[in-house]
Amino acid sequence: MSGKPYRLSDAGRLIDRSKRVSFTFDGKTVSGFAGDTVASAVMASGQRVMGRSFKYHRPRGVVGLGSEEMNALIGVGKAERHEPNLLATKVEIFDGLSAVSQNRWPSLNHDIGAINNVLGRFFSAGFYYKTFMWPQAFWKHVYEPFIRQAAGLGKAPTGRDPDVYEQVHVHCDVLIAGAGAAGLAAAEAAAASGLRVIIADENPRLGGLCDIGGGLIDGASPLEWAKTRAAALAAADNVQVLTRTTVAGHFEDNYVLMFERVGDHDPSITAAGTPRHRLWKVRAGQIIIAAGAIERPIAFANNDRPGVMLASAARGLAARYGTAAGVNGVVFTNNDDAYRTALMLKSMGVGVARIIDSRTNPESALIDQAKAAGLDISFGSSIAGVMTSKGGKQIDGIKMSPYNRGRVTNETKVDCDFVAVSGGWNPAVHLWCHNGGKIKFDHELQTYRPDRSPDGLLIAGAANGTFDVPGALAEGYAAGEQAVALLKGKAGKIAKASATQEAQAKLEPIWFAPATGAYNEGDKHFIDQQNDVVASGLELAQREGYESVEHTKRYTTLGMATDQGKTSNILGLGVVAEATGKTIPEIGTTTFRPPYTTVSFGSIAGAHVRDRFLPVRRTAIHDWHVANGADFEPVGQWRRPYCYPKAGEDRHKAVTREILAVRNKVGLLDASTLGKIEIKGPDAGEFLDRMYTNTFSTLKEGRCRYGLMANEMGFLMDDGVTVRVGPEHFIMHTTSGGADRIAGWLEEWLQTEWPDLKVFVTPVTEQWAQFAVAGPNARKVLEKLSGDIDFSAEAFPFMTMKTGTLAGMSVRAYRISFSGELSYEIGVPANQGRALWDAILEAGAAFGIEVYGTEALHVLRAEKGFIIIGDETDNTVTAIDVGLEGLVSKKKRDFIGKRSMEQSFLKMDGRKQLVGLLTEDPNYVLPDGAHALEDATGKPPQKTLGHVTSTYMSPSIGRSIAMALIFNGRARMGETLSFSLDGKVVKAKVVEPVFYDKEGARQNV
Amino acid sequence: MSDPVFRSALAHRNDRNSVPGLSIGLTEISDRGMIDLRGAASDKKFAGAVKDVLGVALCTKPRSSASAGDITVLWLSIDQWLITCPRSAASDLHGRLVKALDGIHSLAVDVSDMRAIFRLEGDNARVVLNKGTSVDFTDGTLGAGSVRRLRYAEIAAAVHVISDAPCVMDMYLFRSYADYAWSYLSKTAAKASEVKLFGVQVGIGV
């Protein structure tokens, strides 16, 4: 086909013929002009096939002019910058652009999958549900790999995307989606009020179809008017004009997502570090949808052949890019608008063999113009088939027959090499429907148009089913004014343009053009080309009982491709209506969901990538940890050192060394992440009594007490040490993960249940860097530092707290222990944390101090049988279950969880209870979460006796230890439980859950 | 700070003094002290005692601030304020508040190290904030003196508008998130990412 004059010499208003642009399509160099799209340049080069279809692998060409395109999907860019599934009709070319066709294997011209086309009768509607079902094992190893190779749309990029993406939140008074005639008029009226107006259009330029839609504004081409409007809006200081920006979704309370392709069209933009895509999150007072309309095709036999395209696309390609769809075309229509295509193509020197109009006797000015221009017109006719050669890749002509609903018996051949088809226009009601706008069927237009809507949503122009220029303009102005009025803004004065357009003859519906032969054999009438849904498939779905349109959609995949049925929706409904003898409104319609067109993952991630993917919380000691080789683990959003491996150590060796350092010498732990909450007021003691299961009102000043916190259900939710620092003043410690949650929990109870309690709660977690100094040498280390705190056993007994100075800093010192050793926690204002940390390490060097991480902390506490909320508890465990009944007050009138804990089922025998486990093999460490089984040698399913909650190799006692929640565990002391692990039976003895220093002597020295 | 003991939340970052290629001024403020104060604004004794110490009455209008000399009060909620002052004066001011409020139901805590403070300056600062928060900073409602608590990127923060022209704003956020927030601000404030809202635009055609 190459060599023919597909680039018209006197057309193409958007291309700059002085600027040649060279790019590649499937590796072949293609030359176009600045302003071209991939579609217009490739077609101008004489190539029509742009891809293969999804299921049948039929060759496909360009059908649409913009975002309605469903066939010409391409991958653009190389390697990590590759992006699949872009529309060739929207991708603007630049020098060096690399585009590839998709869904062909191995190549566009020779495609193995095309055999599916021959076997098409076996690929009927619902074929995934019907075939490949047997034998079962074939699915994984035979069917799925084959289908995955042959099907699928595009390839993923090969590496991390190097480009930048971002999001921005913007508020405006009026948002206008679409900048065609109606949108521009609406923007002018809205902007005149001085309100903040955003107008966004998916195209690189404003104006919509002002260039090819016909009509006159102020006596000239609507394009001239659009030019002046665009300039005025761009110059206004209260208007944001966004091009290449798709209003992709409309949500609750006029929240709108807009997808801006900032740098796709020019690599120098992204090279400068400018975001490639930007996602706009807009909250608008009023939204005016001026999204235009989408032309719909007609289903005729082999209507998917490359060269069959929408009439508006054939017209637009010629007018905008000077690209002719062919040398001799046929226009097939049921309405007047396609006559504009015939007239325009003819005026540009493109052959128009015939206009085939399904209407019997239409009369209008446009038809008269066509006749006057000498165009041949066949009324009451339709296309019965497309004749092709070269494997369907080239159109040789069409078969024309009188249009009626029966089988075709008489046909005339018309030579042509392309077909421009129009079945009418569908308002783009997608945005209108996203958030609950209703639509109704319009018999005049034979399509759905807007009906009722939620507040704040207006619509104008073609999107509202008003296709003529004067009507669109009037609706645009009116919508702009109405938006201002609804916002109680001050209407501004504007000079409204006046428009004229010839009257058009009525459209007559035609959905399905009969062919010779049965339509479910051989020749296919395509409805949804991207998903290869054919008319016979829709008809079959009806016969098989998938009558609801939502069922038809899912069974046949109609409208489920990336184009979301932009061209196929109404056409499919029309075919289903004819097949069932119903009307389209009786059939209903499927749901319109966001996004309108695809939105990139990059824009959804925005700046939340790399070190901004998740907020990582850093303690004041974080960079020391990093510099000293800490192996981190996530704890909530914090990163805490799990351990500090030295050269040659694995995690296990490091943890063992750290534990033994604490047991034998002294260890230092960064415990800054622990939650800290100041609680003060005359009722603070009473408040804590209600929040904890145990009593705090009796706590003496300067004393610490371990507390358990339950929720209303009686289940443990937090624990920690609280200290009384004044008559009305307490400092509570929470778990690291619970810090924010518990602060909110306390505040909620004060605000919603006990507003009478005079208590203030202020979370201060981040004010303090806090370290545990634990081990037999802990006192010696702290005593070596200068300061005024007496760390002696007599002056500073276990479970007390002191304030004072240490190493020249003001500190809070707590003598508490989570390791069972002599231990102090020292808190210091965070910005001095590092200085104190360094001072302790320096002072501790002589005493063998080592830093330890969270794993050593966990093992140390497990050796002592201390629970961890979230390990030994899982929101179904009470204080009694974990053996801490002594911390559940019997005296207090009430506390959160008290009533629940008195329910019989929380007190009954046989609940899971916390026990210790010692395996028979002291070197075997039970896996976390392992279940003890009633009969470990039996076959599954097996009854569980409970599960392991914490399990470690204990260096302190030189054997493995575990804690477990076992049904009726405390009554099983001494029993042996069996686990089925690694194909073996592992036995463990039930023991008390304290493995080391049972009498607690070590912490009390 | 010259104090060798003091390390701010950004001490580990090489770009803490200046991030290259930004469309705004971005600096860390580390010499400011902060006191969290809770009490009932309707309690005349409380309000009076606080005013005596601060030299300025607690602001009770939501999202507002008040200042006298080098002390500024930021409204955080109906019974909570953040009082800022020079860091070197915070401990003394806290002590005087606690003393003056003895016997009055209240809670004053020195939280000078709990938050990091970043200063944003320049015409583009408001749009930069809107790349991380849905609160509208561009509609003119948050003028000089306003205090707005908000969700920024994925964290809690508060913004105090110091002045409108030139635009100067202080962002308060919890210390542990300083690195994250600095990274997010630096990235979205890049000159190459500049977004100009509602103004004259070039390159718009039909």
Side-chain angles (χ1 to χ4, degrees):
Chain A
M1 308 251 312
S2 58
K4 289 190 182 174
Y6 293 107
R7 188 73 86 171
L8 303 167
S9 53
D10 289 333
R13 69 175 190 90
L14 294 184
I15 54 168
D16 180 351
R17 288 175 200 258
S18 68
K19 286 186 195 150
R20 284 217 160 264
V21 173
S22 168
F23 67 103
T24 64
F25 182 64
D26 282 341
K28 221 171 67 185
T29 300
V30 180
S31 176
F33 297 115
D36 259 325
T37 64
V38 168
S40 66
V42 169
M43 285 182 69
S45 80
Q47 173 150 356
R48 233 173 221 180
V49 181
M50 300 291 289
R52 289 267 172 180
S53 77
F54 184 64
K55 199 158 95 178
Y56 301 125
H57 285 243
R58 287 165 71 105
R60 292 284 167 78
V62 171
V63 175
L65 186 58
S67 60
E68 76 278 23
E69 176 59 39
M70 78 298 271
N71 280 338
L73 294 181
I74 54 172
V76 173
K78 286 182 176 160
E80 75 276 9
R81 280 198 163 91
H82 182 77
E83 187 176 15
N85 299 335
L86 297 177
L87 303 179
T89 51
K90 285 178 80 179
V91 175
E92 301 164 65
I93 62 167
F94 51 82
D95 268 319
L97 174 125
S98 156
V100 291
S101 62
Q102 295 185 169
N103 203 32
R104 36 76 182 171
W105 176 45
S107 80
L108 204 50
N109 275 324
H110 305 280
D111 186 285
I112 291 169
I115 191 92
N116 292 357
N117 186 33
V118 182
L119 300 176
R121 59 184 308 169
F122 303 112
F123 281 72
S124 59
F127 85 108
Y128 282 110
Y129 305 108
K130 293 172 180 164
T131 45
F132 306 124
M133 302 302 276
W134 183 92
Q136 205 179 0
F138 268 44
W139 176 253
K140 191 172 170 192
H141 301 292
V142 181
Y143 299 143
E144 187 180 336
F146 180 79
I147 290 171
R148 287 205 182 280
Q149 178 65 47
L153 290 164
K155 300 257 182 291
T158 56
R160 184 191 270 272
D161 191 333
D163 287 326
V164 176
Y165 299 83
E166 73 173 18
Q167 305 177 346
V168 62
H169 297 264
V170 179
H171 299 246
C172 68
D173 298 304
V174 184
L175 169 71
I176 295 139
L184 290 171
E188 185 181 2
S193 68
L195 292 172
R196 294 196 297 178
V197 175
I198 295 178
I199 179 166
D201 197 285
E202 62 178 352
N203 296 299
R205 286 155 188 280
L206 309 187
L209 295 186
C210 277
D211 54 348
I212 59 169
L216 294 171
I217 297 182
D218 288 340
S221 159
L223 191 63
E224 295 307 313
W225 171 82
K227 241 177 233 169
T228 63
R229 290 310 92 210
L233 291 170
D237 58 11
N238 61 326
V239 179
Q240 182 79 22
V241 183
L242 290 165
T243 54
R244 298 186 180 92
T245 304
T246 306
V247 181
H250 177 234
F251 307 90
E252 204 67 17
D253 294 322
N254 271 359
Y255 180 60
V256 166
L257 281 186
M258 306 200 305
F259 174 57
E260 182 187 12
R261 294 166 297 279
V262 185
D264 277 346
H265 61 290
D266 179 355
S268 73
I269 294 174
T270 44
T274 297
R276 179 168 164 249
H277 296 156
R278 184 178 286 125
L279 197 65
W280 294 69
K281 299 178 167 184
V282 183
R283 191 72 74 168
Q286 292 284 326
I287 294 172
I288 299 170
I289 296 172
I294 297 168
E295 195 165 31
R296 61 177 181 246
I298 299 168
F300 54 87
N302 290 325
N303 59 335
D304 68 323
R305 292 307 188 195
V308 179
M309 61 172 58
L310 293 169
S312 54
R315 186 156 92 232
L317 277 166
R320 291 178 180 176
Y321 312 105
T323 298
V327 293
N328 189 30
V330 159
V331 174
F332 179 26
T333 185
N334 66 347
N335 65 83
D336 273 17
D337 187 62
Y339 282 77
R340 293 197 179 97
T341 298
L343 285 163
M344 184 181 279
L345 290 179
K346 183 162 171 48
S347 75
M348 290 172 174
V350 180
V352 179
R354 184 162 294 271
I355 298 173
I356 300 174
D357 192 327
S358 64
R359 297 173 293 182
T360 327
N361 279 311
E363 285 178 26
S364 73
L366 273 168
I367 294 169
D368 292 342
Q369 282 179 45
K371 285 177 182 163
L375 287 162
D376 289 330
I377 310 175
S378 297
F379 293 111
S381 303
S382 63
I383 294 182
V386 179
M387 297 174 295
T388 54
S389 56
K390 299 190 179 171
K393 286 180 279 192
Q394 180 174 308
I395 294 176
D396 298 325
I398 57 103
K399 291 184 272 189
M400 182 176 77
S401 69
Y403 172 55
N404 57 51
R405 301 272 154 94
R407 178 170 290 207
V408 171
T409 51
N410 139 20
E411 57 188 31
T412 318
K413 292 188 172 143
V414 181
D415 287 343
C416 65
D417 66 350
F418 74 96
V419 179
V421 61
S422 177
W425 290 75
N426 299 327
V429 295
H430 307 68
L431 280 170
W432 178 263
C433 294
H434 283 173
N435 187 38
K438 303 295 178 211
I439 48 177
K440 62 184 175 208
F441 194 76
D442 185 311
H443 289 277
E444 183 102 355
L445 304 174
Q446 284 293 310
T447 186
Y448 285 98
R449 65 182 295 173
D451 190 10
R452 287 170 292 115
S453 80
D455 287 346
L457 197 57
L458 303 168
I459 195 159
N464 193 34
T466 302
F467 298 138
D468 65 305
V469 179
L473 217 53
E475 283 190 9
Y477 287 131
E481 287 164 357
Q482 196 186 345
V484 172
L486 286 166
L487 292 165
K488 301 194 168 40
K490 215 176 134 205
K493 232 180 148 46
I494 52 168
K496 288 185 192 172
S498 67
T500 54
Q501 191 160 27
E502 64 278 293
Q504 296 193 22
K506 243 180 87 174
L507 165 152
E508 286 173 19
I510 168 172
W511 310 110
F512 181 86
T516 46
Y519 73 27
N520 56 354
E521 300 266 350
D523 295 339
K524 292 180 171 66
H525 292 65
F526 282 88
I527 310 296
D528 181 337
Q529 297 201 33
Q530 197 174 99
N531 264 356
D532 272 350
V533 177
V534 292
S536 60
L538 294 178
E539 194 260 346
L540 179 65
Q542 302 309 306
R543 277 191 279 131
E544 293 186 349
Y546 295 89
E547 288 171 19
S548 153
V549 65
E550 294 284 4
H551 290 158
T552 303
K553 167 178 169 172
R554 280 150 187 85
Y555 191 57
T556 62
T557 70
L558 171 70
M560 288 171 68
T562 63
D563 69 328
Q564 289 286 289
K566 284 188 179 56
T567 51
S568 62
N569 179 24
I570 300 294
L571 178 59
L573 296 177
V575 168
V576 170
E578 282 187 349
T580 56
K582 291 179 182 165
T583 63
I584 292 179
E586 284 173 323
I587 302 286
T589 182
T590 51
T591 311
F592 295 91
R593 294 189 182 86
Y596 177 63
T597 52
T598 53
V599 168
S600 72
F601 283 115
S603 72
I604 293 169
H608 297 271
V609 293
R610 299 171 195 262
D611 61 327
R612 299 168 303 276
F613 177 64
L614 278 178
V616 169
R617 302 178 72 175
R618 303 164 60 103
T619 73
I621 317 302
H622 191 94
D623 38 319
W624 188 93
H625 299 320
V626 173
N628 287 273
D631 185 345
F632 286 93
E633 69 164 344
V635 177
Q637 289 183 324
W638 298 99
R639 290 291 177 277
R640 297 189 69 184
Y642 178 93
C643 60
Y644 303 82
K646 291 186 173 168
E649 280 184 343
D650 59 10
R651 274 185 156 199
H652 181 71
K653 276 192 181 138
V655 170
T656 302
R657 172 180 49 73
E658 291 169 14
I659 292 165
L660 292 175
V662 174
R663 290 279 181 237
N664 300 326
K665 295 177 285 183
V666 60
L668 177 63
L669 173 83
D670 180 7
S672 305
T673 62
L674 275 185
K676 304 161 204 84
I677 302 170
E678 300 228 3
I679 298 165
K680 182 170 170 274
D683 298 320
E686 167 67 17
F687 176 61
L688 286 170
D689 282 353
R690 296 188 196 180
M691 300 310 298
Y692 278 123
T693 64
N694 48 335
T695 307
F696 282 81
S697 53
T698 57
L699 190 65
K700 296 206 164 41
E701 263 182 65
R703 301 287 304 188
C704 306
R705 184 168 288 168
Y706 172 74
L708 280 178
M709 206 179 280
N711 59 21
E712 303 99 310
M713 283 82 83
F715 299 132
L716 290 175
M717 64 181 288
D718 205 72
D719 68 348
V721 169
T722 288
V723 54
R724 186 169 214 153
V725 293
E728 298 181 350
H729 196 171
F730 296 80
I731 298 167
M732 174 190 284
H733 288 101
T734 73
T735 57
S736 295
D740 292 341
R741 185 166 42 89
I742 298 303
W745 175 249
L746 302 182
E747 195 63 63
E748 184 186 341
W749 281 90
L750 279 174
Q751 289 188 21
T752 64
E753 299 297 327
W754 307 320
D756 53 307
L757 289 188
K758 291 177 95 171
V759 179
F760 282 119
V761 162
T762 301
V764 294
T765 302
E766 301 238 19
Q767 167 67 16
W768 300 91
Q770 195 152 312
F771 318 129
V773 183
N777 294 339
R779 182 177 290 134
K780 291 179 205 155
V781 174
L782 296 175
E783 280 174 342
K784 194 174 172 190
L785 292 164
S786 64
D788 60 5
I789 300 173
D790 183 348
F791 285 98
S792 69
E794 303 71 36
F796 201 163
F798 187 50
M799 296 305 269
T800 62
M801 179 266 195
K802 284 180 187 299
T803 56
T805 58
L806 190 66
M809 290 163 248
S810 295
V811 301
R812 287 172 169 173
Y814 308 84
R815 193 172 159 197
I816 53 180
S817 179
F818 197 42
S819 57
E821 296 299 323
L822 170 65
S823 166
Y824 302 85
E825 282 195 19
I826 313 290
V828 66
N831 289 330
Q832 297 168 37
R834 175 64 189 279
L836 181 62
W837 176 268
D838 290 345
I840 293 172
L841 279 179
E842 198 186 321
F847 305 102
I849 199 166
E850 299 216 27
V851 290
Y852 65 105
T854 52
E855 184 65 359
L857 168 84
H858 289 161
V859 179
L860 287 160
R861 66 88 203 176
E863 290 173 343
K864 287 292 296 171
F866 297 147
I867 63 162
I868 284 186
I869 300 290
D871 282 0
E872 276 63 59
T873 72
D874 61 2
N875 248 331
T876 67
V877 175
T878 70
I880 299 165
D881 295 338
V882 295
L884 295 174
E885 198 163 1
L887 296 182
V888 180
S889 169
K890 309 270 186 308
K891 290 183 198 152
K892 289 193 297 187
R893 193 167 58 84
D894 201 6
F895 60 85
I896 295 172
K898 180 181 169 76
R899 195 193 59 165
S900 297
M901 287 166 82
E902 284 167 1
Q903 303 292 313
S904 56
F905 52 90
L906 286 192
K907 290 204 296 192
M908 70 185 180
D909 288 338
R911 285 181 58 80
K912 279 188 180 179
Q913 293 163 338
L914 189 69
V915 298
L917 292 178
L918 290 176
T919 50
E920 271 184 356
D921 174 358
N923 292 317
Y924 188 89
V925 180
L926 285 165
D928 221 336
H931 280 261
L933 301 177
E934 220 164 43
D935 177 10
T937 56
K939 279 203 163 86
Q942 273 288 312
K943 195 166 179 254
T944 176
L945 296 178
H947 67 278
V948 173
T949 58
S950 290
T951 173
Y952 305 101
M953 177 55 73
S954 161
S956 309
I957 63 170
R959 61 150 301 142
S960 70
I961 57 169
M963 291 156 90
L965 284 166
I966 301 295
F967 286 109
N968 212 17
R970 280 199 286 279
R972 294 179 188 266
M973 288 298 153
E975 271 183 36
T976 297
L977 302 181
S978 296
F979 295 79
S980 176
L981 295 163
D982 307 327
K984 298 188 304 245
V985 173
V986 176
K987 290 186 187 292
K989 200 164 97 177
V990 179
V991 298
E992 287 294 333
V994 184
F995 303 95
Y996 184 73
D997 184 28
K998 288 194 169 61
E999 49 291 342
R1002 299 180 65 89
Q1003 66 193 16
N1004 233 336
V1005 291
Chain B
M1 301 277 289
S2 54
D3 183 353
V5 166
F6 183 93
R7 270 174 75 86
S8 86
L10 291 184
H12 63 286
R13 284 193 78 110
N14 296 326
D15 64 355
R16 69 183 179 279
N17 293 320
S18 94
V19 184
L22 296 193
S23 62
I24 61 166
L26 178 64
T27 46
E28 186 194 16
I29 293 176
S30 58
D31 59 356
R32 188 173 294 163
M34 289 162 264
I35 293 161
D36 187 296
L37 178 66
R38 305 212 46 184
S42 56
D43 179 345
K44 288 202 174 69
K45 275 197 201 147
F46 167 77
V50 173
K51 191 182 171 187
D52 285 349
V53 174
L54 301 183
V56 58
L58 290 173
C59 39
T60 52
K61 194 180 148 223
R63 297 172 186 171
S64 68
S65 62
S67 36
D70 50 17
I71 291 175
T72 300
V73 182
L74 310 181
W75 184 94
L76 293 185
S77 80
I78 55 164
D79 61 1
Q80 188 170 23
W81 297 264
L82 190 67
I83 298 162
T84 69
C85 63
R87 177 173 284 278
S88 56
S91 174
D92 172 63
L93 183 64
H94 175 249
R96 286 191 287 130
L97 268 174
V98 168
K99 201 170 157 203
L101 290 169
D102 187 33
I104 299 171
H105 177 41
S106 61
L107 176 55
V109 189
D110 185 344
V111 291
S112 296
D113 287 13
M114 192 156 89
R115 293 182 174 91
I117 308 170
F118 300 157
R119 172 154 289 190
L120 287 70
E121 292 173 271
D123 294 342
N124 201 36
R126 288 174 177 270
V127 182
V128 167
L129 275 182
N130 270 128
K131 291 182 183 181
T133 183
S134 60
V135 172
D136 191 357
F137 271 87
T138 63
D139 68 352
T141 54
L142 292 170
S146 302
V147 176
R148 188 63 160 91
R149 297 175 81 171
L150 47 85
R151 182 177 165 85
Y152 178 75
E154 294 189 31
I155 64 173
V159 172
H160 178 208
V161 181
I162 306 290
S163 83
D164 250 338
C167 180
V168 179
M169 296 184 287
D170 287 349
M171 178 190 267
Y172 291 74
L173 51 121
F174 289 112
R175 189 187 192 283
S176 64
Y177 291 111
D179 185 78
Y180 169 81
W182 189 261
S183 171
Y184 199 93
L185 276 167
S186 304
K187 190 70 188 176
T188 53
K191 224 179 200 78
S193 301
E194 193 169 351
V195 174
K196 286 227 188 321
L197 284 180
F198 301 111
V200 177
Q201 288 172 267
V202 293
I204 304 292
V206 297

